[in-house]
PDB file of all heavy atoms in Angstrom:
ATOM      1  N   VAL A1396      83.234 167.023 160.877  1.00 96.00           N
ATOM      2  CA  VAL A1396      84.070 165.907 160.424  1.00 96.00           C
ATOM      3  C   VAL A1396      84.854 165.352 161.616  1.00 96.00           C
ATOM      4  O   VAL A1396      85.404 166.113 162.416  1.00 96.00           O
ATOM      5  CB  VAL A1396      85.043 166.364 159.308  1.00 96.00           C
ATOM      6  CG1 VAL A1396      85.932 165.215 158.858  1.00 96.00           C
ATOM      7  CG2 VAL A1396      84.263 166.934 158.121  1.00 96.00           C
ATOM      8  N   ILE A1397      84.857 164.030 161.721  1.00 98.00           N
ATOM      9  CA  ILE A1397      85.585 163.348 162.806  1.00 98.00           C
ATOM     10  C   ILE A1397      86.616 162.408 162.180  1.00 98.00           C
ATOM     11  O   ILE A1397      86.298 161.637 161.285  1.00 98.00           O
ATOM     12  CB  ILE A1397      84.615 162.521 163.688  1.00 98.00           C
ATOM     13  CG1 ILE A1397      83.556 163.429 164.327  1.00 98.00           C
ATOM     14  CG2 ILE A1397      85.394 161.746 164.749  1.00 98.00           C
ATOM     15  CD1 ILE A1397      82.465 162.666 165.104  1.00 98.00           C
ATOM     16  N   LEU A1398      87.860 162.486 162.680  1.00 98.00           N
ATOM     17  CA  LEU A1398      88.867 161.482 162.329  1.00 98.00           C
ATOM     18  C   LEU A1398      88.917 160.492 163.495  1.00 98.00           C
ATOM     19  O   LEU A1398      89.129 160.897 164.640  1.00 98.00           O
ATOM     20  CB  LEU A1398      90.231 162.158 162.135  1.00 98.00           C
ATOM     21  CG  LEU A1398      91.421 161.218 161.926  1.00 98.00           C
ATOM     22  CD1 LEU A1398      91.318 160.485 160.585  1.00 98.00           C
ATOM     23  CD2 LEU A1398      92.735 162.003 161.981  1.00 98.00           C
ATOM     24  N   ALA A1399      88.715 159.202 163.184  1.00 98.00           N
ATOM     25  CA  ALA A1399      88.686 158.183 164.247  1.00 98.00           C
ATOM     26  C   ALA A1399      90.110 157.807 164.633  1.00 98.00           C
ATOM     27  O   ALA A1399      90.765 157.032 163.937  1.00 98.00           O
ATOM     28  CB  ALA A1399      87.922 156.948 163.772  1.00 98.00           C
ATOM     29  N   LYS A1400      90.574 158.376 165.743  1.00 98.00           N
ATOM     30  CA  LYS A1400      91.911 158.050 166.262  1.00 98.00           C
ATOM     31  C   LYS A1400      91.974 156.551 166.568  1.00 98.00           C
ATOM     32  O   LYS A1400      92.900 155.855 166.208  1.00 98.00           O
ATOM     33  CB  LYS A1400      92.104 158.872 167.530  1.00 98.00           C
ATOM     34  CG  LYS A1400      93.349 158.620 168.302  1.00 98.00           C
ATOM     35  CD  LYS A1400      93.529 159.680 169.392  1.00 98.00           C
ATOM     36  CE  LYS A1400      92.367 159.806 170.366  1.00 98.00           C
ATOM     37  NZ  LYS A1400      92.259 158.807 171.424  1.00 98.00           N
ATOM     38  N   ASP A1401      90.953 156.073 167.263  1.00 98.00           N
ATOM     39  CA  ASP A1401      90.802 154.642 167.504  1.00 98.00           C
ATOM     40  C   ASP A1401      89.316 154.340 167.670  1.00 98.00           C
ATOM     41  O   ASP A1401      88.491 155.256 167.654  1.00 98.00           O
ATOM     42  CB  ASP A1401      91.648 154.149 168.694  1.00 98.00           C
ATOM     43  CG  ASP A1401      91.381 154.915 169.975  1.00 98.00           C
ATOM     44  OD1 ASP A1401      90.360 155.646 170.040  1.00 98.00           O
ATOM     45  OD2 ASP A1401      92.165 154.786 170.921  1.00 98.00           O
ATOM     46  N   ASN A1427      96.676 158.952 159.669  1.00 98.00           N
ATOM     47  CA  ASN A1427      95.988 159.991 160.440  1.00 98.00           C
ATOM     48  C   ASN A1427      96.756 161.310 160.388  1.00 98.00           C
ATOM     49  O   ASN A1427      96.161 162.383 160.251  1.00 98.00           O
ATOM     50  CB  ASN A1427      95.798 159.545 161.891  1.00 98.00           C
ATOM     51  CG  ASN A1427      94.761 158.453 162.014  1.00 98.00           C
ATOM     52  OD1 ASN A1427      94.021 158.179 161.065  1.00 98.00           O
ATOM     53  ND2 ASN A1427      94.706 157.817 163.169  1.00 98.00           N
ATOM     54  N   MET A1431      95.316 164.772 158.931  1.00 98.00           N
ATOM     55  CA  MET A1431      95.265 165.995 159.758  1.00 98.00           C
ATOM     56  C   MET A1431      95.911 167.165 159.011  1.00 98.00           C
ATOM     57  O   MET A1431      95.414 168.290 159.040  1.00 98.00           O
ATOM     58  CB  MET A1431      95.971 165.767 161.093  1.00 98.00           C
ATOM     59  CG  MET A1431      95.172 164.920 162.049  1.00 98.00           C
ATOM     60  SD  MET A1431      95.938 164.861 163.687  1.00 98.00           S
ATOM     61  CE  MET A1431      96.829 163.343 163.593  1.00 98.00           C
ATOM     62  N   MET A1441      88.373 169.590 162.235  1.00 97.00           N
ATOM     63  CA  MET A1441      88.168 168.142 162.365  1.00 97.00           C
ATOM     64  C   MET A1441      88.315 167.733 163.826  1.00 97.00           C
ATOM     65  O   MET A1441      89.267 168.147 164.486  1.00 97.00           O
ATOM     66  CB  MET A1441      89.228 167.450 161.485  1.00 97.00           C
ATOM     67  CG  MET A1441      89.001 166.014 161.207  1.00 97.00           C
ATOM     68  SD  MET A1441      89.990 165.451 159.795  1.00 97.00           S
ATOM     69  CE  MET A1441      91.629 165.389 160.513  1.00 97.00           C
ATOM     70  N   HIS A1442      87.379 166.941 164.339  1.00 98.00           N
ATOM     71  CA  HIS A1442      87.531 166.348 165.673  1.00 98.00           C
ATOM     72  C   HIS A1442      88.417 165.110 165.520  1.00 98.00           C
ATOM     73  O   HIS A1442      88.242 164.345 164.564  1.00 98.00           O
ATOM     74  CB  HIS A1442      86.187 165.875 166.220  1.00 98.00           C
ATOM     75  CG  HIS A1442      85.127 166.936 166.313  1.00 98.00           C
ATOM     76  ND1 HIS A1442      84.959 167.730 167.415  1.00 98.00           N
ATOM     77  CD2 HIS A1442      84.167 167.321 165.434  1.00 98.00           C
ATOM     78  CE1 HIS A1442      83.935 168.551 167.224  1.00 98.00           C
ATOM     79  NE2 HIS A1442      83.434 168.325 166.024  1.00 98.00           N
ATOM     80  N   ILE A1443      89.329 164.885 166.454  1.00 98.00           N
ATOM     81  CA  ILE A1443      90.151 163.663 166.421  1.00 98.00           C
ATOM     82  C   ILE A1443      89.834 162.903 167.704  1.00 98.00           C
ATOM     83  O   ILE A1443      90.245 163.318 168.783  1.00 98.00           O
ATOM     84  CB  ILE A1443      91.641 164.013 166.295  1.00 98.00           C
ATOM     85  CG1 ILE A1443      91.846 164.778 164.984  1.00 98.00           C
ATOM     86  CG2 ILE A1443      92.517 162.766 166.329  1.00 98.00           C
ATOM     87  CD1 ILE A1443      92.884 165.837 165.038  1.00 98.00           C
ATOM     88  N   GLU A1444      89.059 161.816 167.570  1.00 98.00           N
ATOM     89  CA  GLU A1444      88.421 161.223 168.752  1.00 98.00           C
ATOM     90  C   GLU A1444      88.283 159.706 168.617  1.00 98.00           C
ATOM     91  O   GLU A1444      88.450 159.154 167.539  1.00 98.00           O
ATOM     92  CB  GLU A1444      86.996 161.803 168.899  1.00 98.00           C
ATOM     93  CG  GLU A1444      86.937 163.284 169.194  1.00 98.00           C
ATOM     94  CD  GLU A1444      87.271 163.642 170.636  1.00 98.00           C
ATOM     95  OE1 GLU A1444      87.511 162.725 171.448  1.00 98.00           O
ATOM     96  OE2 GLU A1444      87.274 164.850 170.945  1.00 98.00           O
ATOM     97  N   ARG A1445      87.919 159.078 169.731  1.00 98.00           N
ATOM     98  CA  ARG A1445      87.539 157.655 169.708  1.00 98.00           C
ATOM     99  C   ARG A1445      86.074 157.544 169.299  1.00 98.00           C
ATOM    100  O   ARG A1445      85.231 158.311 169.754  1.00 98.00           O
ATOM    101  CB  ARG A1445      87.725 157.026 171.088  1.00 98.00           C
ATOM    102  CG  ARG A1445      87.162 155.609 171.153  1.00 98.00           C
ATOM    103  CD  ARG A1445      87.488 154.903 172.428  1.00 98.00           C
ATOM    104  NE  ARG A1445      88.927 154.679 172.523  1.00 98.00           N
ATOM    105  CZ  ARG A1445      89.523 154.135 173.563  1.00 98.00           C
ATOM    106  NH1 ARG A1445      88.807 153.740 174.605  1.00 98.00           N
ATOM    107  NH2 ARG A1445      90.824 153.951 173.579  1.00 98.00           N
ATOM    108  N   ILE A1446      85.794 156.571 168.453  1.00 98.00           N
ATOM    109  CA  ILE A1446      84.410 156.330 168.037  1.00 98.00           C
ATOM    110  C   ILE A1446      83.968 154.918 168.433  1.00 98.00           C
ATOM    111  O   ILE A1446      84.791 154.094 168.831  1.00 98.00           O
ATOM    112  CB  ILE A1446      84.234 156.525 166.513  1.00 98.00           C
ATOM    113  CG1 ILE A1446      85.161 155.588 165.732  1.00 98.00           C
ATOM    114  CG2 ILE A1446      84.481 157.983 166.132  1.00 98.00           C
ATOM    115  CD1 ILE A1446      84.640 155.216 164.386  1.00 98.00           C
ATOM    116  N   VAL A1470      82.737 159.365 170.961  1.00 98.00           N
ATOM    117  CA  VAL A1470      81.930 160.573 170.712  1.00 98.00           C
ATOM    118  C   VAL A1470      80.860 160.358 169.648  1.00 98.00           C
ATOM    119  O   VAL A1470      79.984 161.207 169.472  1.00 98.00           O
ATOM    120  CB  VAL A1470      82.796 161.791 170.316  1.00 98.00           C
ATOM    121  CG1 VAL A1470      83.820 162.105 171.399  1.00 98.00           C
ATOM    122  CG2 VAL A1470      83.449 161.610 168.953  1.00 98.00           C
TER     123      VAL A1470
END
Side-chain angles (χ1 to χ4, degrees):
V1396 179
I1397 300 174
L1398 173 68
K1400 175 170 56 78
D1401 55 14
N1427 289 348
M1431 285 188 263
M1441 194 163 74
H1442 303 271
I1443 299 145
E1444 295 284 357
R1445 172 172 294 177
I1446 58 152
V1470 302

